[in-house]
Amino acid sequence: MKKHILIDGTPISNQIDGLTQYILNVVLRLDTSRYDYTLLLRPNQCPKNYLKRLQAINIHIEEINISPIGPIRDIQFARYLKSHPHFDAAFIPSNQFPIALRIPTVYVIHDLIYEQFPEQLGILSKLKRLYLRYVVKTGLCRSKYVVAVSSYTKSEILRCYGEQFQNKIQVIHEGWEHLLDNQEDKQTKINIHFQEYLLYVGSSRGHKNLSRLILAMQQCANSLPNNVGLVIVGNQRMFTKNQLQMIENINSEREVVHLTGWVNDNDLAYYFKHAKALIFPSLCEGFGIPILEAYFHKIPLLLSNRSSLPEVAGDAAIYFDPTNINEIANTISQFAQTNNHTELIEKQDQRLTLYSWHKTATEILNIISSIWDTK
């Protein structure tokens, strides 16, 4: 009789973010001949194209109202586990370890950004930080195995929670094959006033370092050709008044910074394909999927030299200090004046071969299988 594995998919969202991509692409590549899987989803939150693919490979889907984060989630999860005691093990692919969980578990930690940037937690940030610490510490103690998405993330776990977890943590990187789903080269209308652009993809949260990038664009705008600008793709809901004012100021004479808001995967692929380069100025990342997106679309990458990013990108990026606005501006100016990036793209192609969702899923499945290894 097959073992029955519970997978927590409650963080999955229709507005696909990095965590949603991770969970869906790993689950889709698990070998369903070895185990039975039940994937928990919030109602109407899984993108329909992914839902059909999950059902096609016989992943049992259970829709239930469990919050993706917070103390209420723990109460809801405890009720679910009490009424569903038949699982042999669990796969928790996000930081949000259910504190009521007592069965053998493989637990994935993506980052500890709340430790470095607690102010991003907003109101009651100290209390929220204590709660997140408790959740992660509980997961580290109770899980059978822990997956860190980068060596940097592993080092942060050990720094914040102690060397006693050293042997429990395995580093398994992320993948990129989801990009193959968005190859339709449709004519997306881009209503901007410059022909060539650097692309920024992400939120405006503090660790993303968007404010320094905008200030750097303002500093180097006069040295750029009039047909070069910056396109910012991402949800604008968290933009501060100061950031919006900076953008308004820089665009006072000509449009230099263009905001798209949130876009779907097909439109995002279009922005990548037509970009002059991707610029990724983040101060802290657990992995950095946009690196692989740039490599896949064969566009140069201007990259922060912090956290996990050099680990993932290797020698296939142009690096800068993300805390130095002058250095960011100079990197942009110098890049805009250079046209031949063949050698860099060749390095990116080689680097991309190191990563794969299939490899990620296979390594995670091997860890799950080792739960019952009696050797």
Side-chain angles (χ1 to χ4, degrees):
M1 188 174 180
K2 288 183 184 179
K3 300 288 187 183
H4 197 168
I5 313 296
L6 173 66
I7 304 175
D8 176 26
T10 57
I12 289 171
S13 169
N14 264 319
Q15 284 200 357
I16 299 177
D17 56 12
L19 181 56
T20 295
Q21 288 285 20
Y22 180 90
I23 299 172
L24 289 172
N25 282 282
V26 169
V27 174
L28 277 170
R29 290 165 177 82
L30 293 175
D31 183 354
T32 55
S33 68
R34 294 174 65 177
Y35 304 109
D36 290 325
Y37 300 98
T38 291
L39 175 65
L40 297 186
L41 297 172
R42 288 177 293 155
N44 304 313
Q45 282 300 309
C46 185
K48 291 182 180 179
N49 59 323
Y50 278 103
L51 189 60
K52 290 179 181 178
R53 292 168 63 187
L54 289 164
Q55 292 167 337
I57 61 172
N58 296 319
I59 298 286
H60 176 66
I61 305 296
E62 189 164 347
E63 292 192 335
I64 186 167
N65 286 309
I66 293 181
S67 298
I69 190 171
I72 293 176
R73 163 187 168 83
D74 289 309
I75 297 170
Q76 295 167 329
F77 224 114
R79 289 173 179 166
Y80 176 83
L81 292 170
K82 187 175 182 180
S83 60
H84 296 76
H86 59 286
F87 294 107
D88 298 294
F91 174 45
I92 306 299
S94 78
N95 282 31
Q96 304 309 310
F97 188 91
I99 60 176
L101 198 60
R102 294 294 194 279
I103 57 178
T105 302
V106 176
Y107 172 44
V108 181
I109 298 180
H110 294 264
D111 60 60
L112 298 181
I113 289 173
Y114 63 86
E115 293 286 359
Q116 293 188 7
F117 299 89
E119 68 279 0
Q120 293 183 174
L121 298 173
I123 300 172
L124 302 176
S125 60
K126 289 184 179 180
L127 198 59
K128 290 177 181 176
R129 188 183 191 186
L130 286 173
Y131 168 74
L132 291 172
R133 282 179 172 175
Y134 174 65
V135 168
V136 172
K137 183 67 176 287
T138 301
L140 285 167
C141 292
R142 291 190 187 159
S143 59
K144 182 79 172 178
Y145 300 104
V146 176
V147 172
V149 298
S150 65
S151 295
Y152 169 77
T153 294
K154 179 176 180 177
S155 69
E156 283 294 284
I157 296 169
L158 299 178
R159 181 181 69 83
C160 294
Y161 293 96
E163 293 288 335
Q164 68 268 29
F165 300 110
Q166 171 76 38
N167 295 331
K168 184 182 278 194
I169 304 170
Q170 182 168 330
V171 174
I172 301 178
H173 290 134
E174 302 186 14
W176 55 268
E177 294 97 315
H178 59 282
L179 300 169
L180 294 169
D181 298 332
N182 305 298
Q183 292 305 292
E184 181 184 353
D185 197 6
K186 64 178 185 176
Q187 290 300 310
T188 298
K189 185 177 180 180
I190 302 180
N191 186 26
I192 56 178
H193 296 92
F194 41 83
Q195 295 174 323
E196 297 185 339
Y197 58 88
L198 300 180
L199 179 65
Y200 168 89
V201 178
S203 72
S204 60
R205 295 173 67 196
H207 73 280
K208 294 293 186 179
N209 203 30
L210 184 57
S211 293
R212 284 194 181 95
L213 174 57
I214 296 169
L215 288 171
M217 284 298 297
Q218 186 174 34
Q219 184 171 309
C220 69
N222 291 334
S223 67
L224 296 176
N226 286 336
N227 66 338
V228 176
L230 171 69
V231 171
I232 296 175
V233 174
N235 197 324
Q236 297 175 35
R237 186 167 46 89
M238 296 181 68
F239 273 66
T240 65
K241 290 182 179 179
N242 186 45
Q243 286 172 330
L244 293 173
Q245 186 60 56
M246 283 193 294
I247 292 171
E248 184 177 334
N249 292 342
I250 195 175
N251 288 340
S252 59
E253 295 185 9
R254 73 170 181 95
E255 185 179 50
V256 178
V257 178
H258 179 80
L259 304 179
T260 70
W262 182 84
V263 301
N264 62 38
D265 283 349
N266 282 322
D267 286 348
L268 179 59
Y270 182 92
Y271 281 108
F272 265 103
K273 288 175 186 175
H274 295 85
K276 189 175 179 67
L278 176 73
I279 186 162
F280 197 12
S282 186
L283 298 170
C284 186
E285 295 289 331
F287 182 80
I289 283 287
I291 293 172
L292 305 190
E293 292 176 313
Y295 290 1
F296 175 80
H297 290 292
K298 299 184 184 299
I299 61 172
L301 175 62
L302 311 184
L303 186 62
S304 159
N305 62 8
R306 297 298 173 92
S307 68
S308 64
L309 303 180
E311 173 188 343
V312 177
D315 64 349
I318 299 169
Y319 289 100
F320 56 82
D321 178 354
T323 65
N324 188 323
I325 294 170
N326 290 334
E327 189 169 327
I328 301 172
N330 289 337
T331 301
I332 293 170
S333 295
Q334 291 170 15
F335 174 80
Q337 296 166 17
T338 307
N339 292 319
N340 188 354
H341 304 288
T342 303
E343 184 178 347
L344 184 63
I345 299 300
E346 288 175 353
K347 289 180 179 180
Q348 292 180 179
D349 289 344
Q350 294 169 6
R351 193 76 189 169
L352 191 63
T353 63
L354 301 177
Y355 306 101
S356 160
W357 283 127
H358 178 75
K359 181 180 178 182
T360 304
T362 299
E363 292 182 4
I364 287 174
L365 184 59
N366 288 340
I367 294 176
I368 292 173
S369 299
S370 68
I371 288 173
W372 298 285
D373 188 352
T374 58
K375 292 181 182 179

